[in-house]
Amino acid sequence: MTLEAGAGKPLAKYAAWRRAGDFIFLSGIIPVNPQTALIVRGYDDIPAGAQQLLGRTGEFSTDIKEGPILAQSWYVLESIRTTIESAGGQMSDVIKLVQYFRNLDHFPHYSRVRKLFYPGTPPVSTVVQVSEMLPSPDVLIEVEATAWLPQ
Amino acid sequence: MTLEAGAGKPLAKYAAWRRAGDFIFLSGIIPVNPQTALIVRGYDDIPAGAQQLLGRTGEFSTDIKEGPILAQSWYVLESIRTTIESAGGQMSDVIKLVQYFRNLDHFPHYSRVRKLFYPGTPPVSTVVQVSEMLPSPDVLIEVEATAWLPQ
Amino acid sequence: MTLEAGAGKPLAKYAAWRRAGDFIFLSGIIPVNPQTALIVRGYDDIPAGAQQLLGRTGEFSTDIKEGPILAQSWYVLESIRTTIESAGGQMSDVIKLVQYFRNLDHFPHYSRVRKLFYPGTPPVSTVVQVSEMLPSPDVLIEVEATAWLPQ
Amino acid sequence: MTLEAGAGKPLAKYAAWRRAGDFIFLSGIIPVNPQTALIVRGYDDIPAGAQQLLGRTGEFSTDIKEGPILAQSWYVLESIRTTIESAGGQMSDVIKLVQYFRNLDHFPHYSRVRKLFYPGTPPVSTVVQVSEMLPSPDVLIEVEATAWLPQ
Amino acid sequence: MTLEAGAGKPLAKYAAWRRAGDFIFLSGIIPVNPQTALIVRGYDDIPAGAQQLLGRTGEFSTDIKEGPILAQSWYVLESIRTTIESAGGQMSDVIKLVQYFRNLDHFPHYSRVRKLFYPGTPPVSTVVQVSEMLPSPDVLIEVEATAWLPQ
Amino acid sequence: MTLEAGAGKPLAKYAAWRRAGDFIFLSGIIPVNPQTALIVRGYDDIPAGAQQLLGRTGEFSTDIKEGPILAQSWYVLESIRTTIESAGGQMSDVIKLVQYFRNLDHFPHYSRVRKLFYPGTPPVSTVVQVSEMLPSPDVLIEVEATAWLPQ
């Protein structure tokens, strides 16, 4: 399961990540492919392997409801994984997440996806519902990650 | 004044705290007892000593207005204290707080409670109003704490 | 271009900044002059040099629309610069920003101002829209900064 | 910088312009290409030269916010220019504009674009915010122009 | 098909029309009979000939939906015709219309009616949706007309 | 009764008025003093003579309700008078008005004020309610005027 090229690269004039001592700070990551500038809106915008992993049912009514938050959750966490790997670390080095939702009813879906990325010790976590994120109201989740990766 | 058993333990699959070098990162803490899964809704949900400390008046109209935010503020900060102590530190090691409110009119009440926990040097502080927090709209405040506790 | 006296000093019982090891944590900064307790509401509340830098047009209808967010963006970032300098560092040491907006349509304006403060490597950045900030709905932006400044 | 073919031609059964004595009256112009029936939604729907002129930054989050109103403003004014030229005049003959916006916060952006079309004497101008325009809520601006072009 | 007496006369202290050089300017016309002060609310408020012309079906569900906008459109355009004739001209002299709607979903209905009044060259046209018109929210359309009628 | 200095001058890069043949076109006029950039918000923002003319009662509850629309109506019409006089004409040369309101319940108040400016033949008039005007929601009325003033 590979993220399509471009994910995890900054969309504006900000750094995707910066090292400060033993820490790696990541910018808040949104479900937007920076190369195509497309927002991930559902299952069709993520790789087939990821769709299967997330439990795409093939039933229209179910997939159209769950697809957006599941696909966005996967895309954002996969982007974090890609980013920390490009910094020389791995997902388990990401020890803190701040998660912004547009609708906290989505939390259980996100929570299930997050467990796939954290089979071992979970990170510390903060969760709040905000009124909007960049670049548009279609964005349902943004995650800010902090990693500890001693040099 | 002791916090009832259970406070400060994680409600879901996330860590209550993680050490990274000389830092202790805490998850965002909400006013929910993780053992009983009950939200702190007013004075009656916190110990008598805490009620007295917060200035419970015994007048119904006043207590029903101030009680929820005062009791939640106390519960959340007490949970932070319990958590940092379980990590081997104390409240004064918690040097940074990010505070999420549902209604910033509650800030003065919270601010008075926070001073009880910080008789000395105050922490750095960020305050914003968000639209909702977990697990329900009854939650009026969430606090994310960072401590510096050199090994 | 110098910030008027008082900017960057705390408005309440919290620390403007705290050092923790090699890090400097700043409190969330709002566009309020802590000495006069006045909210920056437009171009007239910032120095003439800053007005020019931000492109004040002199046309009423345009300036009244753009002035508030441009002046607040400048004031907040200038306060961060003043604060980190008082801690012995400089703007380029501020490597992480969390930015809270009341209206994300203001983001392009803020983004242009931020580039003036970061001619070199940009910081990592998180951006969300919240429903309100202290002390009143007139506040359009709050920025929480973290600096890395090895002793 | 040439407008793609079709701009300025009427979309329905109305005249793009009519001469009455020394005056040329134009129909209200919306940012829709009458040949393709496509609404101009952002930078990608206008020529590269126009994008550059309007200051496309290349940063996704900024361009997606500013692009729609800047591109629509340019398209509508360019259509007016094309129309008046087809009537034998030039932009400076257009002496009156009534401008309808969906959101007056867009006014500063439009105002900057209009100055590009009026380097000399500006037109008389009326500006109001209406609730919707044809053909859909994606239309952010409509401009009705009147020219004085003595025979 | 004659308009009932009174249509096209001003409801308040304003002129129904004024000549200025070769132009005739009409006040914005609303679907209200100035003699009876009644708003045209449906087919029953216009002459039988007009009902037939507009395609009254006799089916309740259809007529109650289409009737209000069709009858108001007809009444307003017929008032314009009556007014310009009282000034010595005819409909084809009315070369510009500004049309205000309460709901642009009504536009196709209005457009069909307008074609009945303009079998030849159509006028220039501006269309916007506003939030209300005089004298009450029952008014679905207002049209401001300008005629060119050289002396 | 003299308008304070500055009224009727353009607030942005547009012409206050332009002559085209025998016509004078005025920009839409809003109740803002272009010199002080202050919106007229009530009786206190207009000259004492005008307050008396409009019937200021001295009763707080009444004046605070009627004052804003009466003062704005007077200010806008007085600005039109000042403007047309600066072009060499007088109020009776202004033969057409398009009036935009934020709330049509204000119309009767405006209508009474307008009669003071038009003791003789009234102008043609169009009235609609829009959702907002420049520079802010405090503006209750905007009037676009056209005059006929043969050279």
Side-chain angles (χ1 to χ4, degrees):
Chain A
M1 187 175 63
T2 328
L3 188 63
E4 57 264 54
K9 299 232 178 82
L11 289 165
K13 188 151 178 15
Y14 64 85
W17 59 274
R18 295 267 309 250
R19 174 176 280 280
D22 290 340
F23 287 91
I24 305 285
F25 293 98
L26 280 75
S27 285
I29 289 188
I30 51 175
V32 176
N33 185 322
Q35 294 205 322
T36 59
L38 291 179
I39 297 171
V40 172
R41 285 196 168 79
Y43 283 128
D44 291 340
D45 297 325
I46 61 171
Q51 295 175 31
Q52 196 173 2
L53 187 72
L54 299 173
R56 182 172 195 164
T57 63
E59 296 163 23
F60 180 74
S61 300
T62 295
D63 292 350
I64 208 165
K65 284 281 182 197
E66 296 181 344
I69 184 60
L70 287 173
Q72 292 196 3
S73 296
W74 178 85
Y75 191 92
V76 162
L77 290 165
E78 177 69 2
S79 296
I80 289 172
R81 190 168 73 87
T82 304
T83 304
I84 190 63
E85 286 177 4
S86 77
Q90 51 187 317
M91 201 64 182
S92 58
D93 299 319
V94 177
I95 48 106
K96 184 191 173 207
L97 298 177
V98 181
Q99 290 117 146
Y100 301 98
F101 288 78
R102 282 210 65 206
N103 181 349
L104 283 176
D105 292 347
H106 293 155
F107 178 74
H109 291 301
Y110 167 78
S111 183
R112 268 195 290 276
V113 179
R114 192 176 63 186
K115 277 177 209 153
L116 302 176
F117 286 84
Y118 283 97
T121 312
V124 296
S125 164
T126 294
V127 172
V128 289
Q129 178 180 301
V130 294
S131 49
E132 199 168 312
M133 287 161 279
L134 286 176
S136 88
D138 289 330
V139 169
L140 305 175
I141 186 164
E142 174 172 358
V143 180
E144 181 199 287
T146 304
W148 187 59
L149 191 64
Q151 289 163 308
Chain B
M1 188 175 66
T2 329
L3 188 63
E4 58 264 54
K9 299 235 178 80
L11 287 165
K13 185 147 176 24
Y14 63 88
W17 59 273
R18 294 271 306 252
R19 174 176 281 279
D22 290 340
F23 287 91
I24 304 285
F25 294 98
L26 280 75
S27 286
I29 290 187
I30 49 175
V32 176
N33 186 319
Q35 295 205 320
T36 59
L38 291 178
I39 297 172
V40 171
R41 286 197 168 77
Y43 284 129
D44 292 341
D45 298 325
I46 62 172
Q51 296 175 31
Q52 198 174 2
L53 187 73
L54 299 173
R56 181 173 195 164
T57 64
E59 296 164 22
F60 179 74
S61 299
T62 296
D63 292 351
I64 207 165
K65 285 282 183 196
E66 297 181 343
I69 183 59
L70 287 173
Q72 292 196 3
S73 296
W74 178 85
Y75 192 92
V76 162
L77 289 165
E78 179 68 3
S79 297
I80 289 172
R81 191 167 72 86
T82 304
T83 305
I84 190 64
E85 287 176 4
S86 77
Q90 53 186 319
M91 201 66 182
S92 59
D93 299 320
V94 177
I95 48 105
K96 183 189 175 209
L97 298 177
V98 181
Q99 289 117 146
Y100 303 98
F101 287 78
R102 282 211 64 206
N103 181 349
L104 283 176
D105 292 346
H106 294 153
F107 178 74
H109 291 301
Y110 168 79
S111 182
R112 268 196 290 277
V113 179
R114 191 176 63 186
K115 277 177 208 153
L116 301 175
F117 286 84
Y118 282 97
T121 313
V124 296
S125 165
T126 294
V127 172
V128 290
Q129 179 181 301
V130 295
S131 48
E132 201 168 309
M133 287 162 278
L134 288 174
S136 87
D138 290 330
V139 169
L140 305 175
I141 186 164
E142 175 171 357
V143 181
E144 181 199 287
T146 304
W148 187 57
L149 191 63
Q151 289 162 309
Chain C
M1 188 175 63
T2 330
L3 187 65
E4 58 264 54
K9 300 232 176 82
L11 287 164
K13 187 142 176 26
Y14 64 86
W17 58 275
R18 295 269 308 252
R19 174 176 279 280
D22 291 340
F23 287 91
I24 306 284
F25 294 98
L26 280 75
S27 284
I29 290 187
I30 50 176
V32 176
N33 185 322
Q35 293 205 322
T36 59
L38 291 179
I39 297 172
V40 171
R41 285 198 167 77
Y43 282 129
D44 291 340
D45 298 325
I46 62 172
Q51 295 175 31
Q52 199 175 359
L53 187 72
L54 299 174
R56 183 175 192 160
T57 64
E59 296 166 22
F60 181 71
S61 297
T62 293
D63 292 349
I64 207 169
K65 288 281 180 193
E66 296 181 342
I69 183 59
L70 287 173
Q72 291 196 3
S73 296
W74 178 85
Y75 191 92
V76 163
L77 290 166
E78 178 69 2
S79 297
I80 289 172
R81 190 167 72 87
T82 304
T83 304
I84 189 64
E85 286 176 4
S86 78
Q90 51 186 319
M91 201 65 182
S92 58
D93 299 320
V94 177
I95 47 106
K96 183 190 175 210
L97 298 176
V98 180
Q99 290 117 146
Y100 303 97
F101 288 77
R102 282 210 63 206
N103 181 350
L104 282 176
D105 291 344
H106 293 155
F107 177 74
H109 290 302
Y110 168 77
S111 182
R112 281 207 190 75
V113 179
R114 191 175 65 186
K115 277 178 210 155
L116 301 175
F117 286 84
Y118 283 97
T121 313
V124 296
S125 166
T126 294
V127 171
V128 289
Q129 178 180 300
V130 295
S131 49
E132 200 169 311
M133 287 162 279
L134 287 176
S136 87
D138 289 331
V139 169
L140 305 174
I141 186 166
E142 175 171 357
V143 180
E144 182 198 286
T146 304
W148 187 58
L149 191 64
Q151 288 162 311
Chain D
M1 185 176 61
T2 330
L3 188 62
E4 57 264 56
K9 300 231 178 84
L11 286 166
K13 186 145 178 25
Y14 63 87
W17 59 274
R18 294 270 308 251
R19 175 175 279 280
D22 290 341
F23 288 91
I24 305 284
F25 294 98
L26 279 75
S27 285
I29 290 187
I30 50 175
V32 177
N33 185 322
Q35 294 205 323
T36 60
L38 291 178
I39 297 173
V40 171
R41 285 199 168 76
Y43 283 128
D44 291 340
D45 297 325
I46 61 172
Q51 295 176 30
Q52 198 174 0
L53 187 73
L54 299 174
R56 183 174 193 162
T57 64
E59 296 166 22
F60 181 70
S61 297
T62 293
D63 292 348
I64 206 170
K65 289 280 181 192
E66 296 181 342
I69 183 60
L70 288 173
Q72 292 196 3
S73 296
W74 179 85
Y75 192 91
V76 162
L77 289 166
E78 178 69 2
S79 296
I80 289 172
R81 190 168 74 86
T82 304
T83 305
I84 189 64
E85 286 177 4
S86 77
Q90 53 185 317
M91 201 65 183
S92 59
D93 299 320
V94 176
I95 48 106
K96 183 190 175 212
L97 298 176
V98 180
Q99 289 116 146
Y100 302 98
F101 287 78
R102 281 210 65 206
N103 181 350
L104 283 177
D105 291 345
H106 293 155
F107 176 74
H109 290 302
Y110 169 78
S111 183
R112 282 209 190 75
V113 178
R114 192 176 63 186
K115 277 178 209 153
L116 301 175
F117 285 84
Y118 283 96
T121 313
V124 296
S125 165
T126 294
V127 172
V128 289
Q129 179 180 301
V130 294
S131 48
E132 201 168 311
M133 288 162 278
L134 287 175
S136 88
D138 289 330
V139 169
L140 305 175
I141 186 165
E142 174 172 358
V143 181
E144 181 200 287
T146 305
W148 187 57
L149 190 64
Q151 289 162 309
Chain E
M1 186 177 64
T2 327
L3 188 62
E4 58 263 54
K9 299 235 177 82
L11 287 165
K13 187 148 177 22
Y14 64 86
W17 59 275
R18 294 270 308 251
R19 173 175 281 279
D22 290 341
F23 288 90
I24 305 284
F25 294 98
L26 280 74
S27 285
I29 290 187
I30 49 175
V32 177
N33 185 321
Q35 293 203 323
T36 60
L38 290 179
I39 297 172
V40 171
R41 285 197 168 77
Y43 283 129
D44 291 341
D45 297 326
I46 60 171
Q51 295 175 30
Q52 198 174 2
L53 188 72
L54 299 174
R56 182 172 193 164
T57 63
E59 297 164 22
F60 179 75
S61 299
T62 295
D63 292 351
I64 208 165
K65 285 281 182 196
E66 296 181 344
I69 184 60
L70 287 173
Q72 291 197 4
S73 297
W74 178 85
Y75 191 92
V76 162
L77 289 165
E78 178 69 2
S79 297
I80 290 172
R81 191 167 72 85
T82 305
T83 304
I84 190 63
E85 286 176 4
S86 76
Q90 53 186 319
M91 202 63 183
S92 58
D93 299 320
V94 177
I95 48 107
K96 183 191 175 207
L97 298 177
V98 181
Q99 290 116 148
Y100 302 98
F101 288 78
R102 281 211 65 207
N103 182 349
L104 283 175
D105 292 345
H106 294 154
F107 178 73
H109 291 302
Y110 168 78
S111 183
R112 269 196 289 276
V113 179
R114 192 176 64 186
K115 277 178 208 151
L116 302 175
F117 286 84
Y118 283 97
T121 313
V124 296
S125 165
T126 294
V127 172
V128 289
Q129 178 180 302
V130 295
S131 48
E132 201 168 312
M133 288 161 279
L134 287 176
S136 89
D138 290 330
V139 168
L140 305 175
I141 186 165
E142 175 172 358
V143 181
E144 183 199 286
T146 305
W148 187 58
L149 191 63
Q151 289 163 308
Chain F
M1 186 175 66
T2 329
L3 189 63
E4 56 264 54
K9 301 233 178 82
L11 288 165
K13 188 149 176 18
Y14 63 86
W17 58 274
R18 295 265 313 246
R19 174 175 280 280
D22 290 340
F23 287 90
I24 305 284
F25 293 98
L26 279 75
S27 285
I29 290 187
I30 50 175
V32 177
N33 185 321
Q35 293 205 321
T36 60
L38 291 178
I39 297 171
V40 171
R41 285 196 169 80
Y43 284 128
D44 291 340
D45 298 324
I46 61 172
Q51 295 175 32
Q52 200 173 0
L53 188 73
L54 299 173
R56 183 173 193 164
T57 63
E59 296 163 23
F60 179 74
S61 299
T62 296
D63 291 352
I64 208 166
K65 285 281 183 194
E66 296 181 344
I69 184 59
L70 287 173
Q72 292 196 3
S73 297
W74 178 85
Y75 191 93
V76 162
L77 290 166
E78 178 67 3
S79 296
I80 290 172
R81 190 167 73 86
T82 305
T83 304
I84 190 64
E85 286 176 5
S86 77
Q90 51 186 316
M91 201 66 183
S92 59
D93 299 319
V94 176
I95 48 105
K96 183 189 174 209
L97 298 177
V98 181
Q99 289 116 146
Y100 302 98
F101 288 78
R102 280 209 66 205
N103 182 349
L104 283 176
D105 292 346
H106 294 155
F107 178 73
H109 291 302
Y110 168 78
S111 183
R112 270 195 288 277
V113 179
R114 191 175 64 185
K115 279 177 207 153
L116 301 175
F117 286 85
Y118 282 97
T121 314
V124 296
S125 165
T126 295
V127 171
V128 290
Q129 179 180 301
V130 294
S131 49
E132 200 168 313
M133 287 161 277
L134 288 175
S136 87
D138 290 330
V139 168
L140 305 174
I141 185 165
E142 176 171 357
V143 181
E144 182 199 286
T146 305
W148 187 58
L149 192 64
Q151 289 162 311

